[in-house]
Amino acid sequence: MADTETAADDAFVYDEASGEWVSAADAAATGGADSSAVVVRDAVGNVLADGDQVTLIKDLTVKGAGQTLKRGTLIKSIRLTGDAQEIDCRFDGIKGLVLRAEFVKKR
């Protein structure tokens, strides 16, 4: 039984976030606490989440659409991307709209 415990203690896993090998016990202790989760903040520092509504704080010219989104425009149901500064959203007449978080404010 001592050999089994030693084998379990010697197991290591690769932590992609830090780029280091850590023991399985340490990895289990952190619980895989989704340390790779990106926190997205709006222009005033509020944390954004999927499904939030945001308001534009600046007039934005949309490349390829020939349209300008005016300050105060309400964007409903945003989706977070893997980037801390970009949010994916929908707006009438514009497909695949991606906005920078620094230009929006949580409603």
Side-chain angles (χ1 to χ4, degrees):
M1 198 177 252
D3 291 333
T4 308
E5 292 174 13
T6 306
D9 291 337
D10 292 339
F12 284 90
V13 292
Y14 184 73
D15 182 22
E16 292 181 12
S18 66
E20 297 177 354
W21 288 92
V22 295
S23 69
D26 290 342
T30 59
D34 205 10
S35 61
S36 63
V38 177
V39 176
V40 180
R41 296 187 181 272
D42 67 359
V44 293
N46 298 323
V47 177
L48 297 175
D50 285 336
D52 282 346
Q53 294 182 355
V54 295
T55 305
L56 296 178
I57 62 168
K58 179 181 178 181
D59 290 353
L60 299 174
T61 303
V62 181
K63 294 180 181 178
Q67 188 174 359
T68 300
L69 296 176
K70 299 292 183 185
R71 181 176 145 199
T73 301
L74 178 66
I75 305 291
K76 298 179 181 179
S77 187
I78 65 168
R79 288 179 307 279
L80 302 180
T81 62
D83 189 357
Q85 285 299 313
E86 293 181 351
I87 56 173
D88 188 26
C89 53
R90 289 185 182 174
F91 190 74
D92 297 333
I94 303 174
K95 238 182 184 183
L97 180 62
V98 177
L99 296 174
R100 303 261 316 159
E102 63 190 277
F103 298 123
V104 298
K105 182 174 84 170
K106 187 174 182 177
R107 189 168 159 114

